[in-house]
Amino acid sequence: MNFIPLTERFYLRGALVVARELIGKLLVRKIGKLTLTAKIVETEAYIGDHDPAAHSYGRITERNKIIYGIGGVAYVYFIYGNYYCFNVVSGRKGVGNAILIRAVEPVIGIEYMRKFRGKAKNDYELTNGPSKLCMSLKIDKSLNGADLTKRGAVFVSRNTKKEFNEIAVSKRIGINVGTEFPYRFFIKDNAFVTKHRFNKEIVFT
DNA sequence: GACAAGATTAGCT
DNA sequence: GCTAATCTTGTCT
């Protein structure tokens, strides 16, 4: 399979466009000779200039400075003492926008994902959450700042397979501020999307 | 140095 | 549906 990374140009656009267009693309993770692939089925946009839920909201800090860099790099953070979350940075240098990859659907290497993930009674539990997919794909802070426009340890590829994905938009999950913004994008009725009541509270499609 | 909060998950009721 | 687990980060002293 020939994976073609999305170009820098893709990432330099507005966060909402990037978040929506990342749906259906392939997240590729290389670990030595091993290549794992998963289709992105759920994303959330975080927009620093007006969004209090964004890690980039307010001043630039050691943690969020990567988000203010150029788009097309990874932002990986550690949360709740246990978990990693994987984001892609969008926009030009100086813009504090990032897209959280909330869920993916395994495509290649699912047997390795089961191994890396450990707990998971069903296949959809491998990757139906931002930290679950990091466990399955062995994503940790060593990938913070990784260049997503090159065929490196992690990147997002075009998906040449033709398929129809009906994309739904809802409010975001798991935040206490900025809850009013409909910045979550997901494939309607896809089994690998996070289970949440917002799946039925669709703002528009 | 201390302290509180957090873009989650798993396990129990 | 509810909550403990667990530690990095940012902010304040």
Side-chain angles (χ1 to χ4, degrees), chain A residues 18-64:
Chain A
V18 175
R20 173 180 273 273
E21 293 193 10
L22 279 172
I23 299 291
K25 299 292 192 292
L26 297 175
L27 181 58
V28 182
R29 170 79 172 110
K30 291 188 176 182
I31 306 166
K33 283 187 171 180
L34 183 63
T35 299
L36 304 175
T37 308
K39 184 172 89 168
I40 298 173
V41 300
E42 180 180 355
T43 63
E44 282 178 357
Y46 289 86
I47 304 178
D49 63 2
H50 67 269
D51 176 8
H55 287 177
S56 51
Y57 187 67
R59 67 183 68 198
I60 295 179
T61 65
E62 187 58 31
R63 179 171 75 157
N64 71 22

mmCIF file of all heavy atoms in Angstrom, chain A residues 18-64:
data_model
loop_
_atom_site.group_PDB
_atom_site.id
_atom_site.type_symbol
_atom_site.label_atom_id
_atom_site.label_comp_id
_atom_site.label_asym_id
_atom_site.label_seq_id
_atom_site.Cartn_x
_atom_site.Cartn_y
_atom_site.Cartn_z
ATOM 1 N N VAL A 18 -10.029 21.758 8.313
ATOM 2 C CA VAL A 18 -9.063 20.668 8.480
ATOM 3 C C VAL A 18 -9.692 19.533 9.293
ATOM 4 O O VAL A 18 -9.572 18.355 8.941
ATOM 5 C CB VAL A 18 -7.768 21.179 9.156
ATOM 6 C CG1 VAL A 18 -6.817 20.013 9.444
ATOM 7 C CG2 VAL A 18 -7.077 22.213 8.277
ATOM 8 N N ALA A 19 -10.380 19.878 10.377
ATOM 9 C CA ALA A 19 -11.002 18.855 11.225
ATOM 10 C C ALA A 19 -12.009 18.035 10.423
ATOM 11 O O ALA A 19 -12.057 16.814 10.530
ATOM 12 C CB ALA A 19 -11.687 19.512 12.423
ATOM 13 N N ARG A 20 -12.810 18.713 9.626
ATOM 14 C CA ARG A 20 -13.815 18.012 8.827
ATOM 15 C C ARG A 20 -13.158 17.151 7.756
ATOM 16 O O ARG A 20 -13.551 16.007 7.544
ATOM 17 C CB ARG A 20 -14.756 19.022 8.159
ATOM 18 C CG ARG A 20 -15.718 18.408 7.173
ATOM 19 C CD ARG A 20 -16.636 19.457 6.546
ATOM 20 N NE ARG A 20 -17.818 19.697 7.347
ATOM 21 C CZ ARG A 20 -18.951 18.984 7.242
ATOM 22 N NH1 ARG A 20 -19.017 17.971 6.403
ATOM 23 N NH2 ARG A 20 -19.986 19.264 7.978
ATOM 24 N N GLU A 21 -12.136 17.671 7.109
ATOM 25 C CA GLU A 21 -11.515 16.934 5.996
ATOM 26 C C GLU A 21 -10.573 15.822 6.464
ATOM 27 O O GLU A 21 -10.212 14.945 5.692
ATOM 28 C CB GLU A 21 -10.796 17.910 5.055
ATOM 29 C CG GLU A 21 -11.790 18.807 4.354
ATOM 30 C CD GLU A 21 -11.197 19.578 3.189
ATOM 31 O OE1 GLU A 21 -10.047 19.290 2.790
ATOM 32 O OE2 GLU A 21 -11.890 20.488 2.690
ATOM 33 N N LEU A 22 -10.185 15.845 7.732
ATOM 34 C CA LEU A 22 -9.377 14.732 8.255
ATOM 35 C C LEU A 22 -10.204 13.459 8.375
ATOM 36 O O LEU A 22 -9.672 12.344 8.364
ATOM 37 C CB LEU A 22 -8.792 15.088 9.630
ATOM 38 C CG LEU A 22 -7.527 15.952 9.623
ATOM 39 C CD1 LEU A 22 -7.183 16.390 11.036
ATOM 40 C CD2 LEU A 22 -6.344 15.209 8.999
ATOM 41 N N ILE A 23 -11.532 13.629 8.485
ATOM 42 C CA ILE A 23 -12.408 12.461 8.565
ATOM 43 C C ILE A 23 -12.275 11.628 7.286
ATOM 44 O O ILE A 23 -12.364 12.161 6.189
ATOM 45 C CB ILE A 23 -13.887 12.904 8.732
ATOM 46 C CG1 ILE A 23 -14.079 13.720 10.015
ATOM 47 C CG2 ILE A 23 -14.810 11.689 8.709
ATOM 48 C CD1 ILE A 23 -13.946 12.948 11.291
ATOM 49 N N GLY A 24 -12.046 10.327 7.470
ATOM 50 C CA GLY A 24 -11.897 9.430 6.319
ATOM 51 C C GLY A 24 -10.460 9.244 5.867
ATOM 52 O O GLY A 24 -10.165 8.328 5.103
ATOM 53 N N LYS A 25 -9.556 10.120 6.342
ATOM 54 C CA LYS A 25 -8.136 9.987 5.993
ATOM 55 C C LYS A 25 -7.512 8.860 6.819
ATOM 56 O O LYS A 25 -8.098 8.377 7.794
ATOM 57 C CB LYS A 25 -7.399 11.299 6.262
ATOM 58 C CG LYS A 25 -7.916 12.485 5.462
ATOM 59 C CD LYS A 25 -7.632 12.344 3.991
ATOM 60 C CE LYS A 25 -7.889 13.645 3.226
ATOM 61 N NZ LYS A 25 -9.304 14.029 3.148
ATOM 62 N N LEU A 26 -6.311 8.451 6.456
ATOM 63 C CA LEU A 26 -5.643 7.331 7.123
ATOM 64 C C LEU A 26 -4.526 7.806 8.038
ATOM 65 O O LEU A 26 -3.615 8.520 7.602
ATOM 66 C CB LEU A 26 -5.058 6.384 6.072
ATOM 67 C CG LEU A 26 -6.080 5.719 5.154
ATOM 68 C CD1 LEU A 26 -5.369 4.903 4.079
ATOM 69 C CD2 LEU A 26 -7.028 4.829 5.956
ATOM 70 N N LEU A 27 -4.613 7.418 9.284
ATOM 71 C CA LEU A 27 -3.534 7.686 10.227
ATOM 72 C C LEU A 27 -2.558 6.516 10.115
ATOM 73 O O LEU A 27 -2.946 5.362 10.270
ATOM 74 C CB LEU A 27 -4.101 7.803 11.650
ATOM 75 C CG LEU A 27 -3.108 8.100 12.769
ATOM 76 C CD1 LEU A 27 -2.352 9.405 12.523
ATOM 77 C CD2 LEU A 27 -3.853 8.195 14.110
ATOM 78 N N VAL A 28 -1.314 6.834 9.798
ATOM 79 C CA VAL A 28 -0.297 5.794 9.587
ATOM 80 C C VAL A 28 0.748 5.889 10.689
ATOM 81 O O VAL A 28 1.246 6.976 10.996
ATOM 82 C CB VAL A 28 0.396 5.962 8.211
ATOM 83 C CG1 VAL A 28 1.418 4.843 7.988
ATOM 84 C CG2 VAL A 28 -0.630 5.975 7.095
ATOM 85 N N ARG A 29 1.053 4.747 11.288
ATOM 86 C CA ARG A 29 2.017 4.708 12.383
ATOM 87 C C ARG A 29 3.058 3.649 12.073
ATOM 88 O O ARG A 29 2.721 2.469 11.904
ATOM 89 C CB ARG A 29 1.286 4.364 13.689
ATOM 90 C CG ARG A 29 2.198 4.068 14.865
ATOM 91 C CD ARG A 29 2.749 5.337 15.487
ATOM 92 N NE ARG A 29 3.453 5.030 16.723
ATOM 93 C CZ ARG A 29 4.785 5.113 16.871
ATOM 94 N NH1 ARG A 29 5.535 5.504 15.863
ATOM 95 N NH2 ARG A 29 5.343 4.813 18.022
ATOM 96 N N LYS A 30 4.325 4.068 11.981
ATOM 97 C CA LYS A 30 5.406 3.132 11.698
ATOM 98 C C LYS A 30 6.208 2.884 12.963
ATOM 99 O O LYS A 30 6.667 3.819 13.616
ATOM 100 C CB LYS A 30 6.314 3.686 10.607
ATOM 101 C CG LYS A 30 5.656 3.728 9.252
ATOM 102 C CD LYS A 30 6.668 4.100 8.181
ATOM 103 C CE LYS A 30 6.023 4.045 6.800
ATOM 104 N NZ LYS A 30 6.991 4.359 5.735
ATOM 105 N N ILE A 31 6.350 1.611 13.298
ATOM 106 C CA ILE A 31 7.151 1.214 14.457
ATOM 107 C C ILE A 31 8.161 0.203 13.941
ATOM 108 O O ILE A 31 7.851 -0.965 13.742
ATOM 109 C CB ILE A 31 6.268 0.565 15.544
ATOM 110 C CG1 ILE A 31 5.101 1.487 15.907
ATOM 111 C CG2 ILE A 31 7.094 0.235 16.783
ATOM 112 C CD1 ILE A 31 4.010 0.811 16.712
ATOM 113 N N GLY A 32 9.373 0.656 13.671
ATOM 114 C CA GLY A 32 10.355 -0.220 13.041
ATOM 115 C C GLY A 32 9.848 -0.650 11.676
ATOM 116 O O GLY A 32 9.464 0.171 10.855
ATOM 117 N N LYS A 33 9.795 -1.965 11.452
ATOM 118 C CA LYS A 33 9.323 -2.484 10.162
ATOM 119 C C LYS A 33 7.801 -2.554 10.095
ATOM 120 O O LYS A 33 7.222 -2.761 9.042
ATOM 121 C CB LYS A 33 9.879 -3.897 9.936
ATOM 122 C CG LYS A 33 11.329 -3.925 9.512
ATOM 123 C CD LYS A 33 11.721 -5.352 9.160
ATOM 124 C CE LYS A 33 13.109 -5.391 8.510
ATOM 125 N NZ LYS A 33 13.500 -6.769 8.169
ATOM 126 N N LEU A 34 7.191 -2.407 11.251
ATOM 127 C CA LEU A 34 5.748 -2.547 11.342
ATOM 128 C C LEU A 34 5.025 -1.270 10.921
ATOM 129 O O LEU A 34 5.420 -0.174 11.295
ATOM 130 C CB LEU A 34 5.405 -2.887 12.799
ATOM 131 C CG LEU A 34 3.970 -3.155 13.179
ATOM 132 C CD1 LEU A 34 3.437 -4.378 12.444
ATOM 133 C CD2 LEU A 34 3.884 -3.352 14.684
ATOM 134 N N THR A 35 3.975 -1.431 10.120
ATOM 135 C CA THR A 35 3.149 -0.285 9.749
ATOM 136 C C THR A 35 1.705 -0.546 10.153
ATOM 137 O O THR A 35 1.108 -1.531 9.734
ATOM 138 C CB THR A 35 3.205 -0.036 8.228
ATOM 139 O OG1 THR A 35 4.548 0.238 7.846
ATOM 140 C CG2 THR A 35 2.340 1.160 7.861
ATOM 141 N N LEU A 36 1.176 0.331 10.993
ATOM 142 C CA LEU A 36 -0.219 0.247 11.408
ATOM 143 C C LEU A 36 -0.984 1.364 10.714
ATOM 144 O O LEU A 36 -0.457 2.460 10.534
ATOM 145 C CB LEU A 36 -0.347 0.424 12.927
ATOM 146 C CG LEU A 36 0.457 -0.541 13.801
ATOM 147 C CD1 LEU A 36 0.321 -0.156 15.271
ATOM 148 C CD2 LEU A 36 0.006 -1.971 13.579
ATOM 149 N N THR A 37 -2.223 1.074 10.346
ATOM 150 C CA THR A 37 -3.040 2.079 9.664
ATOM 151 C C THR A 37 -4.458 2.067 10.223
ATOM 152 O O THR A 37 -4.995 1.004 10.519
ATOM 153 C CB THR A 37 -3.102 1.777 8.154
ATOM 154 O OG1 THR A 37 -1.781 1.625 7.658
ATOM 155 C CG2 THR A 37 -3.773 2.895 7.410
ATOM 156 N N ALA A 38 -5.023 3.262 10.353
ATOM 157 C CA ALA A 38 -6.387 3.373 10.847
ATOM 158 C C ALA A 38 -7.069 4.577 10.209
ATOM 159 O O ALA A 38 -6.445 5.620 10.013
ATOM 160 C CB ALA A 38 -6.389 3.505 12.363
ATOM 161 N N LYS A 39 -8.341 4.407 9.923
ATOM 162 C CA LYS A 39 -9.126 5.492 9.315
ATOM 163 C C LYS A 39 -9.642 6.425 10.401
ATOM 164 O O LYS A 39 -10.200 5.979 11.409
ATOM 165 C CB LYS A 39 -10.291 4.888 8.533
ATOM 166 C CG LYS A 39 -11.111 5.929 7.789
ATOM 167 C CD LYS A 39 -12.123 5.274 6.878
ATOM 168 C CE LYS A 39 -13.432 5.023 7.600
ATOM 169 N NZ LYS A 39 -14.515 4.640 6.661
ATOM 170 N N ILE A 40 -9.462 7.710 10.187
ATOM 171 C CA ILE A 40 -9.948 8.707 11.150
ATOM 172 C C ILE A 40 -11.462 8.825 11.031
ATOM 173 O O ILE A 40 -11.984 9.073 9.945
ATOM 174 C CB ILE A 40 -9.265 10.070 10.904
ATOM 175 C CG1 ILE A 40 -7.753 9.939 11.123
ATOM 176 C CG2 ILE A 40 -9.864 11.142 11.808
ATOM 177 C CD1 ILE A 40 -6.950 11.178 10.734
ATOM 178 N N VAL A 41 -12.167 8.627 12.151
ATOM 179 C CA VAL A 41 -13.636 8.664 12.118
ATOM 180 C C VAL A 41 -14.234 9.742 13.035
ATOM 181 O O VAL A 41 -15.442 9.975 13.011
ATOM 182 C CB VAL A 41 -14.245 7.290 12.473
ATOM 183 C CG1 VAL A 41 -13.780 6.223 11.476
ATOM 184 C CG2 VAL A 41 -13.896 6.874 13.891
ATOM 185 N N GLU A 42 -13.386 10.401 13.855
ATOM 186 C CA GLU A 42 -13.908 11.412 14.788
ATOM 187 C C GLU A 42 -12.794 12.404 15.129
ATOM 188 O O GLU A 42 -11.685 11.999 15.484
ATOM 189 C CB GLU A 42 -14.400 10.721 16.064
ATOM 190 C CG GLU A 42 -14.966 11.669 17.106
ATOM 191 C CD GLU A 42 -15.432 10.907 18.364
ATOM 192 O OE1 GLU A 42 -15.399 9.663 18.373
ATOM 193 O OE2 GLU A 42 -15.798 11.584 19.335
ATOM 194 N N THR A 43 -13.101 13.699 15.013
ATOM 195 C CA THR A 43 -12.123 14.749 15.338
ATOM 196 C C THR A 43 -12.803 15.880 16.107
ATOM 197 O O THR A 43 -14.032 16.016 16.069
ATOM 198 C CB THR A 43 -11.511 15.367 14.050
ATOM 199 O OG1 THR A 43 -12.552 15.995 13.298
ATOM 200 C CG2 THR A 43 -10.818 14.324 13.188
ATOM 201 N N GLU A 44 -11.997 16.681 16.786
ATOM 202 C CA GLU A 44 -12.503 17.900 17.424
ATOM 203 C C GLU A 44 -11.515 19.034 17.184
ATOM 204 O O GLU A 44 -10.309 18.843 17.326
ATOM 205 C CB GLU A 44 -12.673 17.706 18.935
ATOM 206 C CG GLU A 44 -13.931 16.933 19.304
ATOM 207 C CD GLU A 44 -14.068 16.704 20.802
ATOM 208 O OE1 GLU A 44 -13.157 17.104 21.557
ATOM 209 O OE2 GLU A 44 -15.077 16.129 21.230
ATOM 210 N N ALA A 45 -12.047 20.206 16.839
ATOM 211 C CA ALA A 45 -11.194 21.370 16.616
ATOM 212 C C ALA A 45 -11.081 22.195 17.900
ATOM 213 O O ALA A 45 -12.062 22.345 18.640
ATOM 214 C CB ALA A 45 -11.776 22.229 15.496
ATOM 215 N N TYR A 46 -9.894 22.714 18.163
ATOM 216 C CA TYR A 46 -9.635 23.610 19.298
ATOM 217 C C TYR A 46 -8.941 24.854 18.765
ATOM 218 O O TYR A 46 -7.879 24.775 18.163
ATOM 219 C CB TYR A 46 -8.788 22.891 20.362
ATOM 220 C CG TYR A 46 -9.600 21.835 21.079
ATOM 221 C CD1 TYR A 46 -9.723 20.555 20.559
ATOM 222 C CD2 TYR A 46 -10.318 22.160 22.227
ATOM 223 C CE1 TYR A 46 -10.517 19.599 21.181
ATOM 224 C CE2 TYR A 46 -11.116 21.216 22.858
ATOM 225 C CZ TYR A 46 -11.208 19.939 22.332
ATOM 226 O OH TYR A 46 -12.006 19.008 22.945
ATOM 227 N N ILE A 47 -9.579 25.991 18.995
ATOM 228 C CA ILE A 47 -9.181 27.221 18.310
ATOM 229 C C ILE A 47 -8.782 28.279 19.336
ATOM 230 O O ILE A 47 -9.635 28.845 20.027
ATOM 231 C CB ILE A 47 -10.337 27.708 17.409
ATOM 232 C CG1 ILE A 47 -10.737 26.589 16.440
ATOM 233 C CG2 ILE A 47 -9.939 28.972 16.668
ATOM 234 C CD1 ILE A 47 -11.888 26.905 15.524
ATOM 235 N N GLY A 48 -7.485 28.510 19.427
ATOM 236 C CA GLY A 48 -6.927 29.308 20.516
ATOM 237 C C GLY A 48 -7.478 30.702 20.720
ATOM 238 O O GLY A 48 -7.604 31.159 21.850
ATOM 239 N N ASP A 49 -7.854 31.400 19.647
ATOM 240 C CA ASP A 49 -8.174 32.817 19.813
ATOM 241 C C ASP A 49 -9.508 33.095 20.519
ATOM 242 O O ASP A 49 -9.695 34.170 21.067
ATOM 243 C CB ASP A 49 -8.085 33.561 18.460
ATOM 244 C CG ASP A 49 -9.098 33.056 17.448
ATOM 245 O OD1 ASP A 49 -9.889 32.160 17.783
ATOM 246 O OD2 ASP A 49 -9.075 33.566 16.314
ATOM 247 N N HIS A 50 -10.436 32.132 20.533
ATOM 248 C CA HIS A 50 -11.726 32.411 21.180
ATOM 249 C C HIS A 50 -12.259 31.241 21.994
ATOM 250 O O HIS A 50 -13.388 31.312 22.502
ATOM 251 C CB HIS A 50 -12.766 32.778 20.114
ATOM 252 C CG HIS A 50 -13.112 31.639 19.195
ATOM 253 N ND1 HIS A 50 -12.435 31.421 18.018
ATOM 254 C CD2 HIS A 50 -14.022 30.646 19.289
ATOM 255 C CE1 HIS A 50 -12.938 30.336 17.433
ATOM 256 N NE2 HIS A 50 -13.897 29.835 18.193
ATOM 257 N N ASP A 51 -11.483 30.165 22.101
ATOM 258 C CA ASP A 51 -11.997 28.901 22.634
ATOM 259 C C ASP A 51 -11.320 28.541 23.961
ATOM 260 O O ASP A 51 -10.201 28.061 23.976
ATOM 261 C CB ASP A 51 -11.718 27.835 21.563
ATOM 262 C CG ASP A 51 -12.111 26.436 21.989
ATOM 263 O OD1 ASP A 51 -12.740 26.282 23.053
ATOM 264 O OD2 ASP A 51 -11.782 25.512 21.233
ATOM 265 N N PRO A 52 -12.007 28.775 25.075
ATOM 266 C CA PRO A 52 -11.379 28.556 26.382
ATOM 267 C C PRO A 52 -11.024 27.095 26.660
ATOM 268 O O PRO A 52 -10.252 26.808 27.571
ATOM 269 C CB PRO A 52 -12.430 29.058 27.376
ATOM 270 C CG PRO A 52 -13.720 29.008 26.630
ATOM 271 C CD PRO A 52 -13.382 29.281 25.197
ATOM 272 N N ALA A 53 -11.572 26.177 25.857
ATOM 273 C CA ALA A 53 -11.243 24.761 26.056
ATOM 274 C C ALA A 53 -9.907 24.396 25.407
ATOM 275 O O ALA A 53 -9.351 23.338 25.668
ATOM 276 C CB ALA A 53 -12.346 23.877 25.478
ATOM 277 N N ALA A 54 -9.396 25.275 24.539
ATOM 278 C CA ALA A 54 -8.162 24.974 23.812
ATOM 279 C C ALA A 54 -6.949 25.095 24.724
ATOM 280 O O ALA A 54 -6.865 26.024 25.536
ATOM 281 C CB ALA A 54 -8.016 25.914 22.615
ATOM 282 N N HIS A 55 -6.027 24.185 24.606
ATOM 283 C CA HIS A 55 -4.779 24.290 25.380
ATOM 284 C C HIS A 55 -3.998 25.534 24.976
ATOM 285 O O HIS A 55 -3.159 26.013 25.724
ATOM 286 C CB HIS A 55 -3.923 23.042 25.173
ATOM 287 C CG HIS A 55 -4.455 21.832 25.882
ATOM 288 N ND1 HIS A 55 -3.876 20.598 25.779
ATOM 289 C CD2 HIS A 55 -5.522 21.692 26.703
ATOM 290 C CE1 HIS A 55 -4.562 19.729 26.526
ATOM 291 N NE2 HIS A 55 -5.575 20.370 27.073
ATOM 292 N N SER A 56 -4.283 26.037 23.803
ATOM 293 C CA SER A 56 -3.583 27.225 23.309
ATOM 294 C C SER A 56 -4.289 28.523 23.694
ATOM 295 O O SER A 56 -3.851 29.604 23.315
ATOM 296 C CB SER A 56 -3.469 27.137 21.777
ATOM 297 O OG SER A 56 -4.746 26.873 21.214
ATOM 298 N N TYR A 57 -5.385 28.409 24.450
ATOM 299 C CA TYR A 57 -6.123 29.613 24.874
ATOM 300 C C TYR A 57 -5.280 30.387 25.886
ATOM 301 O O TYR A 57 -4.700 29.809 26.797
ATOM 302 C CB TYR A 57 -7.446 29.192 25.506
ATOM 303 C CG TYR A 57 -8.380 30.330 25.828
ATOM 304 C CD1 TYR A 57 -8.957 31.093 24.817
ATOM 305 C CD2 TYR A 57 -8.699 30.628 27.149
ATOM 306 C CE1 TYR A 57 -9.837 32.122 25.119
ATOM 307 C CE2 TYR A 57 -9.579 31.661 27.457
ATOM 308 C CZ TYR A 57 -10.142 32.407 26.425
ATOM 309 O OH TYR A 57 -11.013 33.414 26.720
ATOM 310 N N GLY A 58 -5.246 31.727 25.731
ATOM 311 C CA GLY A 58 -4.458 32.531 26.664
ATOM 312 C C GLY A 58 -3.011 32.644 26.217
ATOM 313 O O GLY A 58 -2.728 32.727 25.030
ATOM 314 N N ARG A 59 -2.126 32.605 27.175
ATOM 315 C CA ARG A 59 -0.727 32.863 26.838
ATOM 316 C C ARG A 59 -0.007 31.629 26.293
ATOM 317 O O ARG A 59 -0.463 30.499 26.470
ATOM 318 C CB ARG A 59 0.013 33.407 28.055
ATOM 319 C CG ARG A 59 0.159 32.391 29.170
ATOM 320 C CD ARG A 59 0.848 33.024 30.372
ATOM 321 N NE ARG A 59 -0.029 34.033 30.998
ATOM 322 C CZ ARG A 59 0.406 34.992 31.833
ATOM 323 N NH1 ARG A 59 1.692 35.081 32.108
ATOM 324 N NH2 ARG A 59 -0.435 35.832 32.378
ATOM 325 N N ILE A 60 1.115 31.895 25.638
ATOM 326 C CA ILE A 60 1.943 30.809 25.135
ATOM 327 C C ILE A 60 2.760 30.241 26.291
ATOM 328 O O ILE A 60 3.375 30.976 27.066
ATOM 329 C CB ILE A 60 2.880 31.307 24.014
ATOM 330 C CG1 ILE A 60 2.042 31.752 22.809
ATOM 331 C CG2 ILE A 60 3.854 30.197 23.594
ATOM 332 C CD1 ILE A 60 2.850 32.298 21.645
ATOM 333 N N THR A 61 2.734 28.933 26.438
ATOM 334 C CA THR A 61 3.459 28.259 27.519
ATOM 335 C C THR A 61 4.370 27.188 26.913
ATOM 336 O O THR A 61 4.337 26.941 25.704
ATOM 337 C CB THR A 61 2.492 27.568 28.494
ATOM 338 O OG1 THR A 61 1.806 26.523 27.798
ATOM 339 C CG2 THR A 61 1.471 28.544 29.073
ATOM 340 N N GLU A 62 5.157 26.563 27.780
ATOM 341 C CA GLU A 62 6.043 25.496 27.331
ATOM 342 C C GLU A 62 5.245 24.386 26.623
ATOM 343 O O GLU A 62 5.662 23.865 25.596
ATOM 344 C CB GLU A 62 6.801 24.931 28.543
ATOM 345 C CG GLU A 62 7.877 23.938 28.210
ATOM 346 C CD GLU A 62 8.936 24.501 27.268
ATOM 347 O OE1 GLU A 62 9.213 25.718 27.311
ATOM 348 O OE2 GLU A 62 9.477 23.714 26.475
ATOM 349 N N ARG A 63 4.104 24.052 27.207
ATOM 350 C CA ARG A 63 3.314 22.964 26.626
ATOM 351 C C ARG A 63 2.680 23.341 25.304
ATOM 352 O O ARG A 63 2.694 22.559 24.350
ATOM 353 C CB ARG A 63 2.215 22.527 27.612
ATOM 354 C CG ARG A 63 1.342 21.419 27.038
ATOM 355 C CD ARG A 63 0.371 20.806 28.041
ATOM 356 N NE ARG A 63 -0.763 21.646 28.350
ATOM 357 C CZ ARG A 63 -1.928 21.193 28.821
ATOM 358 N NH1 ARG A 63 -2.076 19.899 29.054
ATOM 359 N NH2 ARG A 63 -2.909 22.022 29.104
ATOM 360 N N ASN A 64 2.065 24.531 25.215
ATOM 361 C CA ASN A 64 1.253 24.832 24.032
ATOM 362 C C ASN A 64 2.009 25.531 22.901
ATOM 363 O O ASN A 64 1.422 25.808 21.855
ATOM 364 C CB ASN A 64 0.010 25.633 24.432
ATOM 365 C CG ASN A 64 0.315 27.065 24.849
ATOM 366 O OD1 ASN A 64 1.349 27.630 24.494
ATOM 367 N ND2 ASN A 64 -0.591 27.653 25.614
#
